[in-house]
Amino acid sequence: MSNDPLRDWRIAEPPHYRAQADEVALFEAAYAARLPVMVKGSTGCGKSRFVEYMAWRLQRPLITVACNEDMTAADLVGRFLLEPSGTRWQDGPLALAARHGGICYLDEVVEARQDTTVVIHALTDHRRQLPLDKKGELIRAHPDFQLVISYNPGYQSLMKDLKPSTRQRFTAFDFDYPEADVEAEVLSTETGISSAQAHQLIAVAHAARRLKGHGLVEGMSTRLLVNAARLIQGGVSLHAACQMAMVRPLTDDADLRDALEHAVLAVI
Ligand code: ADP
C-alpha cells in the first residue's frame, strides 16, 4: 500500500526472538484486550527485541521512541512546523501511532520527565484519546493502536520513576537474563558462535552478574555477550573479545576488572 502512512515502520523480516516462557501468548492476550504493556528489566536483556518480534507477529507497524530527559510532550504528540508557505502540523510518534493504528514503544520511559509522560494518560485508559491541544484536535485512537513502554527498575530513584498514576495503567512483564541454555541458543543463532564458546562467555557473564550490588550497578547484559560473540566470529581471540566487549564497557573500577579478568582466565 503506497499511501500507508506507517509503511516505514512496518517490520518485513521476522526478528529473531527466543522466548523465555509464555510471554508471547501473554502479550498477544494483552494486545487482544488492547491493554497497554510495560516491559521491565535490566539493560540489554531482550526487551526491545521482544517488542519488535511481537509487532512483527501481530503485523503492526512499530514506532519506537528512545526517551530522554530533554524530551517534551511536543516531541511525542507533534508540533507546527514553519514553512515558506505557512505553518504545517506534523504528528509526533505517539499521534502517528494512535491515528493510524501502530504500536508505539517508549523505550526507557523513566528517562522522560513525568510532566512529559502524562500525555499518555488519556490514551491508556478507557478513553483511548490523545488531545492535540495546540492543534485543537482530539485523536480517538485507532482500534489497532497499542502503547508499550520499557523500564529498567535498576535505575529507579526518586527523581526517575514512574508516577503511580502512570504505572497503574499498564500490564507488566518482568524480564531477566535468560537461563544459560537459552542464552547460549540466543548467542549461537544471533552470531553463529558454537555452543561451547557461547557457554564460555556465559560463564564469565554469570561471574559478573554475581557482582551486581557488590560494586556493579548492572549485570553483564546479553547484548555485551552478543558483541563479544561477533568479535570472536570475526577472528578475535576469546580473551580479547571478553575484555573488549564485556569487561571494559561494563566497569572502570580496577578491582572489579581484576575480578572479571580472573573469571575470563578461568574459562579459557
Ligand atoms: P533491551 O532489554 O535493552 O531492550 P535488547 O532487546 O536490545 O535489550 O537486547 C539486546 C540484544 O540481546 C539483542 O539485540 C539481541 O541480540 C539479544 N537478545 C537478548 N535476548 C534475546 C532473545 N530472547 N532472543 C533473541 N535475541 C536476544
Side-chain angles (χ1 to χ4, degrees):
M1 266 201 300
S2 57
N3 60 352
D4 172 4
L6 297 187
R7 65 182 175 280
D8 291 346
W9 290 275
R10 291 195 179 273
I11 302 170
E13 297 297 322
H16 162 238
Y17 178 69
R18 168 63 162 86
Q20 296 199 34
D22 51 0
E23 68 270 26
V24 171
L26 290 176
F27 191 108
E28 282 178 339
Y31 184 73
R34 296 301 185 270
L35 289 171
V37 164
M38 153 162 48
V39 190
K40 299 190 197 190
S42 310
T43 185
C45 73
K47 302 183 295 296
S48 300
R49 182 62 68 87
F50 172 57
V51 177
E52 279 163 37
Y53 173 74
M54 292 312 304
W56 171 81
R57 214 178 139 93
L58 295 163
Q59 292 293 292
R60 299 317 314 151
L62 177 67
I63 304 185
T64 298
V65 183
C67 298
N68 64 74
E69 61 186 359
D70 295 329
M71 209 168 80
T72 63
D75 292 324
L76 289 176
V77 164
R79 53 169 54 89
F80 281 106
L81 300 179
L82 274 177
E83 289 186 342
S85 53
T87 55
R88 180 174 65 86
W89 175 262
Q90 188 179 51
D91 275 346
L94 191 59
L96 258 182
R99 200 188 287 282
H100 303 289
I103 295 178
C104 185
Y105 174 41
L106 305 182
D107 191 10
E108 296 292 354
V109 71
V110 283
E111 293 298 323
R113 291 192 315 269
Q114 294 183 344
D115 58 326
T116 303
T117 31
V118 293
V119 300
I120 66 182
H121 280 194
L123 264 181
T124 46
D125 56 32
H126 64 281
R127 291 171 285 176
R128 284 177 63 87
Q129 296 172 343
L130 181 64
L132 308 181
D133 293 336
K134 293 221 170 75
K135 187 166 180 253
E137 184 191 347
L138 183 68
I139 298 182
R140 288 180 204 286
H142 187 286
D144 294 340
F145 166 76
Q146 190 192 26
L147 184 68
V148 180
I149 62 178
S150 77
Y151 168 59
N152 182 347
Y155 296 153
Q156 208 171 344
S157 72
L158 272 181
M159 295 302 290
K160 283 189 178 171
D161 197 2
L162 286 177
K163 279 170 180 283
S165 58
T166 305
R167 63 166 65 230
Q168 292 199 19
R169 286 157 195 275
F170 287 84
T171 58
F173 290 93
D174 280 332
F175 267 51
D176 207 344
Y177 306 117
E179 277 177 30
D181 285 343
V182 174
E183 196 162 29
E185 216 181 294
V186 167
L187 296 183
S188 302
T189 315
E190 289 276 301
T191 69
I193 195 176
S194 74
S195 173
Q197 287 173 313
H199 278 283
Q200 286 177 304
L201 298 181
I202 291 165
V204 176
H206 283 187
R209 288 170 191 168
R210 283 194 289 274
L211 293 173
K212 186 177 171 186
H214 303 278
L216 273 187
V217 189
E218 281 275 291
M220 189 177 270
S221 69
T222 306
R223 179 183 294 125
L224 294 186
L225 274 63
V226 169
N227 291 346
R230 291 222 164 94
L231 290 175
I232 291 169
Q233 284 301 81
V236 175
S237 72
L238 182 76
H239 187 216
C242 284
Q243 283 298 342
M244 192 174 157
M246 289 159 59
V247 175
R248 283 184 213 132
L250 191 66
T251 178
D252 298 322
D253 183 289
D255 292 340
L256 289 170
R257 283 187 173 195
D258 249 15
L260 293 171
E261 170 71 357
H262 278 106
V264 174
L265 293 175
V267 301
I268 58 177

